[in-house]
Amino acid sequence: MPLPPALSSDLPAPADAPVSAPTSAELLDFVRRTAADRELVDSLPLDPEGRTWVRLDGPGGSEAWLIGWPPGTATGWHDHAESQGAFATARGTLTENALAVRLPADGWKTLELADGLDRSRRLPEGTARTFGRHHVHEVLNESTDTHAVSVHAYYPPLPLIRRFSRTGAVLRLEQVERPEDWQ
């Protein structure tokens, strides 16, 4: 006999039950809670010369990272392919520059961007945001003297990252990285 609905949700899922994909709201909640974990944030080793990172267990099979940003460091322009994501600033202030355009999946090397596509936002400590698939951006720690720390989560786990260079309105595909390149 089936259990009443109020009780059945308390039972563990069978071992072979598929894990449901985390929503943007769940990714956002995860990065916010993790960024607020002072003990975890303070445990990240910081390097004065380059970014540092530690992989975390994200919700629902997502890929998550705790990242340290020395003063003056940046990701460069990139996207996350088919993954949606969220990130939160746990310490310091980050700047995100983004493009309000969906790039073609493949078959191009250089694109001329139309006017009005640039977006920029400052993300001080405690600020978080989500982004959808094909989000093109760069993240920077523009401080000259303060490390920043952030938490990032992506679902599905990153299949690849495309890296771009930008000169004015011209965006050029420079490199495609796969998980084995950064793990």
Side-chain angles (χ1 to χ4, degrees), residues 30 34 40-41 43-46 51-57 63-68 149-152 182:
F30 170 81
T34 305
L40 176 65
V41 171
S43 74
L44 180 67
L46 300 176
R51 289 189 303 147
T52 54
W53 54 88
V54 173
R55 186 154 186 176
L56 306 172
D57 292 326
E63 180 173 343
W65 299 90
L66 180 65
I67 301 175
V149 177
S150 59
V151 180
H152 303 248
W182 63 80

Side-chain angles (χ1 to χ4, degrees), residues 94-98 119-123 129-130 135:
L94 294 171
T95 299
E96 180 193 33
N97 297 319
R119 305 290 183 266
S120 185
R121 70 184 79 196
R122 288 179 47 80
L123 300 160
R129 70 173 312 271
T130 62
H135 181 68

Side-chain angles (χ1 to χ4, degrees), residues 27-120:
L27 293 175
L28 184 63
D29 179 61
F30 170 81
V31 298
R32 281 185 171 146
R33 283 184 295 105
T34 305
D37 182 340
R38 299 287 13 126
E39 186 176 338
L40 176 65
V41 171
D42 291 344
S43 74
L44 180 67
L46 300 176
D47 181 328
E49 307 270 326
R51 289 189 303 147
T52 54
W53 54 88
V54 173
R55 186 154 186 176
L56 306 172
D57 292 326
S62 63
E63 180 173 343
W65 299 90
L66 180 65
I67 301 175
W69 305 75
T73 56
T75 59
W77 287 96
H78 66 282
D79 71 4
H80 305 101
E82 296 291 324
S83 297
Q84 65 178 345
F87 70 96
T89 305
R91 181 185 301 152
T93 298
L94 294 171
T95 299
E96 180 193 33
N97 297 319
L99 296 176
V101 64
R102 182 176 174 164
L103 300 178
D106 55 21
W108 66 277
K109 286 285 195 185
T110 303
L111 290 175
E112 185 154 349
L113 302 169
D115 289 339
L117 298 178
D118 289 291
R119 305 290 183 266
S120 185

